[in-house]
Amino acid sequence: MFKCYDCGYVFEEPKHYSEDRTPGGAFEGGSFIEHFTGCPQCAGAYDEAVECDGCGEWAFSKYLEATCDGNYCEACMEEMEVDEDEV
């Protein structure tokens, strides 16, 4: 799964886009078509996402904390630390 940095949309496959970048709108003998992938909803930047084993929310995989019990987002990790401190 992937998650958009701009709008937060979670999706399975990015959308392929192409944009004409011809300077001044005139043909100058070369191809100025830029191809890129982006969020299907807003064409924004995206990254891999993993579902948090604590709250079930989709979070960027690079921000998840991997433990022996699973993958947890920052909010769930803070909550688990508070619970451990109370014991």
Side-chain angles (χ1 to χ4, degrees), residues 5-87:
Y5 282 110
D6 298 329
C7 69
Y9 184 63
V10 177
F11 53 96
E12 289 186 20
E13 291 294 325
K15 184 176 177 181
H16 295 274
Y17 294 93
S18 60
E19 186 174 340
D20 185 357
R21 297 281 194 158
T22 305
F27 180 76
E28 299 187 11
S31 177
F32 293 96
I33 305 295
E34 178 182 345
H35 300 279
F36 63 96
T37 58
C39 170
Q41 190 164 326
C42 73
Y46 63 92
D47 206 348
E48 287 188 41
V50 176
E51 191 172 10
C52 174
D53 291 324
C55 64
E57 291 291 321
W58 289 94
F60 295 109
S61 57
K62 62 184 173 185
Y63 298 125
L64 286 176
E65 183 79 27
T67 68
C68 59
D69 296 331
N71 296 310
Y72 295 95
C73 67
E74 188 175 313
C76 287
M77 287 300 295
E78 288 176 6
E79 188 175 308
M80 289 191 301
E81 288 174 8
V82 168
D83 290 344
E84 289 175 2
D85 290 342
E86 292 176 358
V87 173

